[in-house]
Amino acid sequence: MLAPASITVENVSRCFGETLAIDRVSFEVKVGGCCALIGPSGCGKTTLLRMIGGLDAPDSGSITRCDGESAFVFQEPRLLPWLTLLDNVALPLRLRGMTRAESRERAAEAISLVKLSDAHARTPAQLSGGMRMRASLARALIAKPKVLLLDEPMSGLDDVTRHELDEELRELWERERFTVILVTHSVAEAAYLAEEIIVLTPRPARIVARVATPSGERDASSWTSPQLNTSVRIASEAMLRAITQDTRKMLRT
Amino acid sequence: MTRTQQLVRALSPLATVAVVILLWWACKILFEVKDFMLPSPWAVATAFLADPKPFLIGCFETAMNAAIGFGIAATAGVLLASVLSLSRRVEQSVYPLTLLFQMVPLIAIAPLLVVWLGYGRPSIIASAAIVSIFPVIANTLSGLRSADPHLQELFHLLNASRVKTWWKLALPSAVPNIVTGLRIAAGLATIGTIAGEFIAGISGDRAPLGVLVTTGLRNFQTDRVFVAVLLAALVGFAVYGCVSLASRLLLRRFLVQR
């Protein structure tokens, strides 16, 4: 039996003034699924994710979230500079009124998931870029969300840290099986992390292709596996076609 | 910094004070200024050393008045600014009034304070608080509005209540601005206290420095006036120093780690 849909995006459009940013986009992500949205810079990927997360509303169409709580991981870690790592991660629970001791206990668990257990007492300034991103991920995971929305979380990191975090994130998803929607501009990252890649056109964003990635567990060697590379090639070609068509259209006008 | 450099840095202000005292003494001798107009530094020191008790009590009373006035201004200023920051409409309605209130000279309000609160400490404290509250309100308000929009969005996403957003985000973000306001207020609190003591101070065993100044003037004891004025400056310096120290600790907690 197929898993039910966790998130359904139906004919969603969004305008900013006269500019159409998203044009009738429809897709769904099943419960426990992982889907990546890719497309050229400024195509509206983040706008779409923000609408799914409830930070923005579509002008037309609908977004249905059947699963429970969702959590957002932004492009920047967005940690409070005056709090320690432990208190930053505990923040969502503290804001819900949980006691300091209890929320810290839960935060310690979430921090161990992202392998930062030895940095509890450090402030964000004392953490590296990768550690800050892990902290942001731990904060998102602390409330045990059913849906995780990731907005280019690795964009500011160097390649080595990025690969390392991608592998940890995939491992975490395989273990916890929350529903994930990931926005990225890296096709390889999308293919490694997601089960399906949704390729968007340059603004206004429309779906130009949906590419399935190889099923099964991944590890460090998967980055170079032929099956994964096939998905990368198909998604890249689809994106390139969309960009070329858009450039031709621009040149004609 | 080497030990010698540290010593030079610490002694420099003292050297300046010594130069000022020497110039004061030179003026007094060269221009033959009368004692009731400009007493010599020695006469001032003697006036203090001959009977230090009333001056020390005066220092304590003035410092207490300034500290309480400053404390009220700091607390009320931060709270009022927090209330104003909750709504633009409230801010637009109330902020101009606080600005107007600030524009009224203290010397015009002080007699009214005596009418309302009587002579003595309550009027003096009110005077100190009125003079020093505005910088706290203005700086806190600007700080509360300066919280990182990305973090504000995070709090919105986490469904944080207004009070929790204020407590956990806006207020810590405003610390650098609050500290600036408090430092300005610390200086003003002593000025407000002395001005309040001029008008509402009560003479007697526990007369504050402002009263010692007016009593000295009335009795042509300029040396005692000088002692009181110098001590008032020291009290102001001490209040400012304490606030600066507390500010530094606050900034270390909320700013340096950014």
Side-chain angles (χ1 to χ4, degrees), chain A residues 30-77:
Chain A
K30 64 182 189 333
V31 172
C34 181
C35 156
L37 298 173
I38 64 161
S41 289
C43 77
K45 307 181 289 284
T46 297
T47 306
L48 194 53
L49 194 74
R50 287 171 66 84
M51 287 194 288
I52 294 167
L55 286 170
D56 196 3
D59 291 321
S60 63
S62 67
I63 294 170
T64 318
R65 276 204 330 245
C66 300
D67 248 356
E69 195 168 333
S70 67
F72 214 108
V73 177
F74 296 95
Q75 210 165 338
E76 328 78 30

Short mmCIF file of all heavy atoms in Angstrom, two decimals, chain A residues 30-77:
data_model
loop_
_atom_site.label_atom_id
_atom_site.label_comp_id
_atom_site.label_asym_id
_atom_site.label_seq_id
_atom_site.Cartn_x
_atom_site.Cartn_y
_atom_site.Cartn_z
N LYS A 30 4.86 12.11 0.14
CA LYS A 30 4.20 11.13 1.00
C LYS A 30 4.81 11.15 2.41
O LYS A 30 5.92 11.68 2.61
CB LYS A 30 4.27 9.74 0.39
CG LYS A 30 5.65 9.16 0.24
CD LYS A 30 5.54 7.81 -0.42
CE LYS A 30 6.79 7.00 -0.48
NZ LYS A 30 8.08 7.52 -0.49
N VAL A 31 4.06 10.59 3.34
CA VAL A 31 4.53 10.56 4.74
C VAL A 31 5.87 9.83 4.81
O VAL A 31 6.02 8.73 4.26
CB VAL A 31 3.49 9.83 5.64
CG1 VAL A 31 4.06 9.61 7.04
CG2 VAL A 31 2.20 10.62 5.72
N GLY A 32 6.85 10.46 5.43
CA GLY A 32 8.17 9.86 5.55
C GLY A 32 9.02 9.98 4.30
O GLY A 32 10.11 9.41 4.23
N GLY A 33 8.53 10.73 3.33
CA GLY A 33 9.26 10.90 2.08
C GLY A 33 10.25 12.05 2.15
O GLY A 33 10.18 12.89 3.06
N CYS A 34 11.15 12.08 1.20
CA CYS A 34 12.11 13.18 1.15
C CYS A 34 12.17 13.70 -0.28
O CYS A 34 12.50 12.96 -1.21
CB CYS A 34 13.48 12.71 1.61
SG CYS A 34 14.70 14.03 1.61
N CYS A 35 11.83 14.96 -0.44
CA CYS A 35 11.74 15.53 -1.79
C CYS A 35 12.62 16.78 -1.86
O CYS A 35 12.68 17.55 -0.90
CB CYS A 35 10.28 15.86 -2.03
SG CYS A 35 9.98 17.10 -3.23
N ALA A 36 13.32 16.94 -2.96
CA ALA A 36 14.19 18.12 -3.11
C ALA A 36 13.64 19.02 -4.21
O ALA A 36 13.23 18.54 -5.26
CB ALA A 36 15.60 17.67 -3.45
N LEU A 37 13.63 20.32 -3.92
CA LEU A 37 13.23 21.29 -4.94
C LEU A 37 14.51 21.93 -5.46
O LEU A 37 15.27 22.51 -4.67
CB LEU A 37 12.35 22.38 -4.33
CG LEU A 37 11.02 21.96 -3.71
CD1 LEU A 37 10.38 23.14 -3.01
CD2 LEU A 37 10.08 21.44 -4.79
N ILE A 38 14.75 21.81 -6.77
CA ILE A 38 15.94 22.48 -7.31
C ILE A 38 15.52 23.40 -8.45
O ILE A 38 14.46 23.23 -9.05
CB ILE A 38 17.04 21.50 -7.77
CG1 ILE A 38 16.57 20.65 -8.95
CG2 ILE A 38 17.52 20.63 -6.65
CD1 ILE A 38 17.73 20.03 -9.70
N GLY A 39 16.39 24.33 -8.74
CA GLY A 39 16.11 25.27 -9.82
C GLY A 39 17.13 26.37 -9.76
O GLY A 39 17.85 26.50 -8.77
N PRO A 40 17.19 27.21 -10.81
CA PRO A 40 18.19 28.28 -10.81
C PRO A 40 17.92 29.30 -9.69
O PRO A 40 16.80 29.38 -9.19
CB PRO A 40 18.03 28.93 -12.19
CG PRO A 40 16.77 28.41 -12.74
CD PRO A 40 16.39 27.17 -12.04
N SER A 41 18.95 30.06 -9.34
CA SER A 41 18.82 31.05 -8.26
C SER A 41 17.67 32.01 -8.56
O SER A 41 17.51 32.47 -9.69
CB SER A 41 20.11 31.86 -8.14
OG SER A 41 21.10 31.06 -7.61
N GLY A 42 16.90 32.30 -7.54
CA GLY A 42 15.82 33.28 -7.66
C GLY A 42 14.58 32.75 -8.36
O GLY A 42 13.71 33.53 -8.75
N CYS A 43 14.50 31.43 -8.54
CA CYS A 43 13.35 30.91 -9.29
C CYS A 43 12.10 30.80 -8.42
O CYS A 43 10.99 30.67 -8.94
CB CYS A 43 13.68 29.56 -9.94
SG CYS A 43 13.67 28.19 -8.80
N GLY A 44 12.23 30.86 -7.11
CA GLY A 44 11.06 30.81 -6.25
C GLY A 44 11.01 29.57 -5.36
O GLY A 44 9.98 29.29 -4.75
N LYS A 45 12.12 28.86 -5.27
CA LYS A 45 12.17 27.65 -4.43
C LYS A 45 11.89 28.00 -2.97
O LYS A 45 11.06 27.36 -2.32
CB LYS A 45 13.57 27.00 -4.47
CG LYS A 45 14.13 26.70 -5.83
CD LYS A 45 15.50 26.04 -5.74
CE LYS A 45 16.63 26.94 -5.29
NZ LYS A 45 17.14 27.87 -6.28
N THR A 46 12.59 29.03 -2.49
CA THR A 46 12.43 29.40 -1.08
C THR A 46 11.02 29.92 -0.83
O THR A 46 10.42 29.61 0.20
CB THR A 46 13.50 30.45 -0.70
OG1 THR A 46 14.78 29.84 -0.85
CG2 THR A 46 13.35 30.92 0.72
N THR A 47 10.49 30.69 -1.77
CA THR A 47 9.11 31.20 -1.62
C THR A 47 8.14 30.04 -1.45
O THR A 47 7.26 30.07 -0.58
CB THR A 47 8.73 32.04 -2.86
OG1 THR A 47 9.73 33.04 -3.03
CG2 THR A 47 7.37 32.69 -2.71
N LEU A 48 8.33 29.02 -2.28
CA LEU A 48 7.46 27.85 -2.23
C LEU A 48 7.59 27.17 -0.86
O LEU A 48 6.58 26.81 -0.23
CB LEU A 48 7.87 26.89 -3.36
CG LEU A 48 6.91 25.76 -3.72
CD1 LEU A 48 5.52 26.27 -4.00
CD2 LEU A 48 7.44 25.01 -4.94
N LEU A 49 8.82 27.02 -0.38
CA LEU A 49 9.05 26.36 0.90
C LEU A 49 8.45 27.18 2.05
O LEU A 49 7.87 26.62 2.98
CB LEU A 49 10.55 26.15 1.12
CG LEU A 49 10.90 25.18 2.24
CD1 LEU A 49 10.62 23.74 1.81
CD2 LEU A 49 12.37 25.28 2.64
N ARG A 50 8.60 28.50 1.95
CA ARG A 50 8.04 29.37 3.00
C ARG A 50 6.52 29.25 3.05
O ARG A 50 5.92 29.31 4.12
CB ARG A 50 8.46 30.82 2.77
CG ARG A 50 9.92 31.09 3.09
CD ARG A 50 10.32 32.47 2.64
NE ARG A 50 9.63 33.51 3.40
CZ ARG A 50 10.03 33.96 4.58
NH1 ARG A 50 11.13 33.48 5.13
NH2 ARG A 50 9.35 34.87 5.22
N MET A 51 5.91 29.07 1.88
CA MET A 51 4.45 28.90 1.85
C MET A 51 4.07 27.56 2.48
O MET A 51 3.09 27.46 3.21
CB MET A 51 3.93 29.01 0.42
CG MET A 51 3.97 30.45 -0.09
SD MET A 51 3.03 30.72 -1.58
CE MET A 51 4.04 29.88 -2.77
N ILE A 52 4.87 26.53 2.19
CA ILE A 52 4.59 25.21 2.79
C ILE A 52 4.75 25.29 4.31
O ILE A 52 3.98 24.71 5.07
CB ILE A 52 5.53 24.14 2.18
CG1 ILE A 52 5.22 23.95 0.69
CG2 ILE A 52 5.38 22.80 2.90
CD1 ILE A 52 6.26 23.16 -0.08
N GLY A 53 5.73 26.07 4.74
CA GLY A 53 5.99 26.22 6.19
C GLY A 53 5.05 27.18 6.89
O GLY A 53 5.11 27.33 8.10
N GLY A 54 4.19 27.86 6.13
CA GLY A 54 3.23 28.78 6.75
C GLY A 54 3.80 30.17 6.99
O GLY A 54 3.18 30.99 7.67
N LEU A 55 4.98 30.46 6.42
CA LEU A 55 5.56 31.80 6.60
C LEU A 55 5.07 32.78 5.53
O LEU A 55 5.32 33.97 5.60
CB LEU A 55 7.09 31.72 6.55
CG LEU A 55 7.77 31.13 7.77
CD1 LEU A 55 9.24 30.88 7.51
CD2 LEU A 55 7.60 32.05 8.97
N ASP A 56 4.40 32.24 4.53
CA ASP A 56 3.86 33.07 3.44
C ASP A 56 2.59 32.36 2.96
O ASP A 56 2.41 31.16 3.24
CB ASP A 56 4.90 33.17 2.32
CG ASP A 56 4.59 34.30 1.35
OD1 ASP A 56 3.60 35.03 1.59
OD2 ASP A 56 5.34 34.45 0.36
N ALA A 57 1.73 33.07 2.27
CA ALA A 57 0.49 32.43 1.81
C ALA A 57 0.38 32.52 0.29
O ALA A 57 0.78 33.53 -0.30
CB ALA A 57 -0.69 33.14 2.45
N PRO A 58 -0.13 31.49 -0.35
CA PRO A 58 -0.26 31.56 -1.82
C PRO A 58 -1.38 32.52 -2.22
O PRO A 58 -2.32 32.73 -1.45
CB PRO A 58 -0.60 30.12 -2.21
CG PRO A 58 -1.11 29.46 -0.99
CD PRO A 58 -0.56 30.20 0.19
N ASP A 59 -1.25 33.10 -3.42
CA ASP A 59 -2.34 33.95 -3.93
C ASP A 59 -3.49 33.09 -4.44
O ASP A 59 -4.64 33.47 -4.36
CB ASP A 59 -1.81 34.86 -5.05
CG ASP A 59 -0.86 35.91 -4.50
OD1 ASP A 59 -1.14 36.43 -3.41
OD2 ASP A 59 0.16 36.18 -5.15
N SER A 60 -3.14 31.95 -5.01
CA SER A 60 -4.19 31.00 -5.40
C SER A 60 -3.64 29.59 -5.23
O SER A 60 -2.43 29.39 -5.12
CB SER A 60 -4.62 31.25 -6.84
OG SER A 60 -3.54 31.02 -7.70
N GLY A 61 -4.57 28.62 -5.22
CA GLY A 61 -4.17 27.24 -4.99
C GLY A 61 -4.17 26.94 -3.50
O GLY A 61 -4.51 27.81 -2.68
N SER A 62 -3.81 25.73 -3.17
CA SER A 62 -3.86 25.36 -1.75
C SER A 62 -2.67 24.48 -1.36
O SER A 62 -2.10 23.78 -2.20
CB SER A 62 -5.16 24.62 -1.45
OG SER A 62 -5.15 23.37 -2.12
N ILE A 63 -2.34 24.54 -0.09
CA ILE A 63 -1.27 23.68 0.46
C ILE A 63 -1.87 22.95 1.66
O ILE A 63 -2.40 23.59 2.58
CB ILE A 63 -0.06 24.52 0.90
CG1 ILE A 63 0.59 25.17 -0.34
CG2 ILE A 63 0.97 23.66 1.62
CD1 ILE A 63 1.64 26.20 -0.03
N THR A 64 -1.84 21.64 1.63
CA THR A 64 -2.42 20.86 2.73
C THR A 64 -1.30 20.08 3.41
O THR A 64 -0.53 19.39 2.74
CB THR A 64 -3.47 19.86 2.19
OG1 THR A 64 -4.25 20.53 1.21
CG2 THR A 64 -4.36 19.34 3.29
N ARG A 65 -1.23 20.23 4.73
CA ARG A 65 -0.27 19.43 5.51
C ARG A 65 -1.05 18.50 6.41
O ARG A 65 -1.75 18.94 7.30
CB ARG A 65 0.60 20.36 6.36
CG ARG A 65 1.76 20.92 5.59
CD ARG A 65 2.91 21.33 6.50
NE ARG A 65 2.51 21.75 7.83
CZ ARG A 65 2.68 22.98 8.29
NH1 ARG A 65 3.23 23.89 7.54
NH2 ARG A 65 2.32 23.30 9.51
N CYS A 66 -0.98 17.18 6.11
CA CYS A 66 -1.78 16.22 6.87
C CYS A 66 -1.04 15.78 8.12
O CYS A 66 -1.65 15.41 9.11
CB CYS A 66 -2.12 15.00 6.02
SG CYS A 66 -3.04 15.47 4.57
N ASP A 67 0.28 15.80 8.05
CA ASP A 67 1.06 15.35 9.19
C ASP A 67 1.02 16.39 10.29
O ASP A 67 0.56 17.50 10.09
CB ASP A 67 2.51 15.15 8.73
CG ASP A 67 2.87 13.68 8.75
OD1 ASP A 67 2.02 12.90 9.18
OD2 ASP A 67 3.98 13.34 8.31
N GLY A 68 1.55 16.04 11.44
CA GLY A 68 1.56 16.95 12.59
C GLY A 68 2.50 18.13 12.43
O GLY A 68 2.54 18.78 11.39
N GLU A 69 3.27 18.31 13.46
CA GLU A 69 4.12 19.50 13.56
C GLU A 69 5.23 19.54 12.50
O GLU A 69 5.75 18.52 12.09
CB GLU A 69 4.77 19.45 14.93
CG GLU A 69 5.37 20.75 15.31
CD GLU A 69 5.73 20.74 16.78
OE1 GLU A 69 5.10 20.02 17.55
OE2 GLU A 69 6.65 21.46 17.12
N SER A 70 5.55 20.78 12.08
CA SER A 70 6.66 20.91 11.13
C SER A 70 7.74 21.80 11.73
O SER A 70 7.48 22.59 12.64
CB SER A 70 6.16 21.51 9.82
OG SER A 70 5.76 22.83 10.03
N ALA A 71 8.94 21.66 11.22
CA ALA A 71 10.05 22.50 11.68
C ALA A 71 10.81 23.01 10.47
O ALA A 71 10.84 22.34 9.43
CB ALA A 71 10.98 21.70 12.58
N PHE A 72 11.38 24.20 10.61
CA PHE A 72 12.04 24.87 9.49
C PHE A 72 13.52 25.01 9.81
O PHE A 72 13.87 25.42 10.91
CB PHE A 72 11.41 26.26 9.33
CG PHE A 72 11.33 26.76 7.93
CD1 PHE A 72 10.12 26.85 7.26
CD2 PHE A 72 12.47 27.17 7.27
CE1 PHE A 72 10.04 27.32 5.96
CE2 PHE A 72 12.41 27.65 5.98
CZ PHE A 72 11.19 27.73 5.32
N VAL A 73 14.36 24.69 8.85
CA VAL A 73 15.80 25.00 9.00
C VAL A 73 16.13 26.02 7.92
O VAL A 73 15.97 25.74 6.73
CB VAL A 73 16.69 23.75 8.86
CG1 VAL A 73 18.16 24.11 8.96
CG2 VAL A 73 16.34 22.72 9.93
N PHE A 74 16.56 27.19 8.35
CA PHE A 74 16.80 28.28 7.41
C PHE A 74 18.21 28.19 6.80
O PHE A 74 19.06 27.45 7.28
CB PHE A 74 16.66 29.63 8.11
CG PHE A 74 15.28 29.90 8.62
CD1 PHE A 74 14.92 29.61 9.93
CD2 PHE A 74 14.31 30.45 7.79
CE1 PHE A 74 13.65 29.87 10.40
CE2 PHE A 74 13.04 30.71 8.25
CZ PHE A 74 12.71 30.41 9.57
N GLN A 75 18.39 29.04 5.80
CA GLN A 75 19.70 29.12 5.13
C GLN A 75 20.80 29.53 6.13
O GLN A 75 21.91 29.06 6.05
CB GLN A 75 19.59 30.17 4.03
CG GLN A 75 20.48 29.92 2.88
CD GLN A 75 20.06 30.76 1.68
OE1 GLN A 75 18.92 31.21 1.57
NE2 GLN A 75 20.98 30.99 0.79
N GLU A 76 20.42 30.45 7.04
CA GLU A 76 21.36 30.86 8.10
C GLU A 76 20.93 30.13 9.38
O GLU A 76 19.74 29.91 9.57
CB GLU A 76 21.29 32.37 8.37
CG GLU A 76 20.96 33.25 7.20
CD GLU A 76 19.48 33.25 6.86
OE1 GLU A 76 18.66 33.06 7.76
OE2 GLU A 76 19.15 33.41 5.68
N PRO A 77 21.89 29.82 10.26
CA PRO A 77 21.51 29.02 11.44
C PRO A 77 20.51 29.72 12.38
O PRO A 77 19.77 29.07 13.09
CB PRO A 77 22.84 28.79 12.16
CG PRO A 77 23.91 29.13 11.20
CD PRO A 77 23.33 30.08 10.21
#
